[in-house]
Amino acid sequence: MITSEVADRVYRLGHAFVNCYVVEDDGRVLVVDTGLPAMWPLLAEALRERGLRPGDVAAIVLTHAHFDHTGFAARAQARLDVPIWAHVDDFGLAEHPYRYAHENPRAFYPVRHPRALRILGAMAFAGALRVPGVRGLRPLPSGGALLVPGQPVVVPTPGHTAGHCALHLPDRDVVLSGDALVTLDPYTGVRGPQIVAGAATADSAQALESLAALAATGAGTVLPGHGDPWTRGVATAVEQAREVGAH
Ligand SMILES: [Zn+2]
Ligand SMILES: [Zn+2]
């Protein structure tokens, strides 16, 4: 199995330290984030092993438009002909994947964090350096449920990027936190609940403030963009991320 069921009918597809998720709802599918380019063939395999087909995908939502979450978005748009939703403040980033804002010079990090070299190397091998831009996205509403499979509630969580949004599935007791809260920081190799390092975060202070919105969901399980699922409640994850703070 290349997927694991990490919440009620929510499947994790992880590759090269990046996660995307398949949310199944009565035979229809929502894909949350589009990983790295090498994950495109894995999506078809993931669907197959869950008894689903590419034609069952009804929508894609991007938590944010960093290149490690938009890897197969353009391809999926062309091949599956499905709407792709993202926050309007990330549209520019989606079109130009390598022009993103971050606080600290990225090149500095692997020197301080040699553990990150293996992770960033795996991401590069999975196509992180050749992600095409994607246009024609639909703007996510800032709050309220989206009428796509799973009916996720959009939880704006800006900071990591200007338009970052988490998705809350209240009836499944799960929040898909994207990179607003991760359990593995690819830029340092450190595990545990935290915001992503300043190497890839636009505004760390704002990212820390946005943790309150995640905590407010009260979800039992947190499914991050990087790292393993957190099943001890979003409140404890947020508490630990605040302790780690900006880094
Ligand atoms: Zn990111
Ligand atoms: Zn990421």
Side-chain angles (χ1 to χ4, degrees), residues 161-233:
T161 63
H164 193 290
C165 289
L167 297 179
H168 181 211
L169 302 172
D171 56 333
R172 308 194 195 191
D173 195 27
V174 63
V175 63
L176 296 111
S177 61
D179 283 3
L181 190 159
V182 296
T183 58
L184 168 69
D185 188 334
Y187 289 88
T188 62
V190 175
R191 290 194 183 266
Q194 58 194 305
I195 65 165
V196 171
T201 285
D203 185 335
S204 293
Q206 193 183 30
L208 287 169
E209 277 171 32
S210 284
L211 292 173
L214 284 180
T217 66
T221 296
V222 183
L223 302 176
H226 305 276
D228 294 329
W230 178 266
T231 55
R232 288 156 51 198

Side-chain angles (χ1 to χ4, degrees), residues 1 3 51 58 60-61 68 98 102 112 121 142 149 185 190 193 208 210 215:
M1 297 285 256
T3 60
I60 294 172
V61 173
D68 52 330
Y98 300 105
H102 49 86
R112 273 175 57 194
S142 40
D185 188 334
V190 175
L208 287 169
S210 284

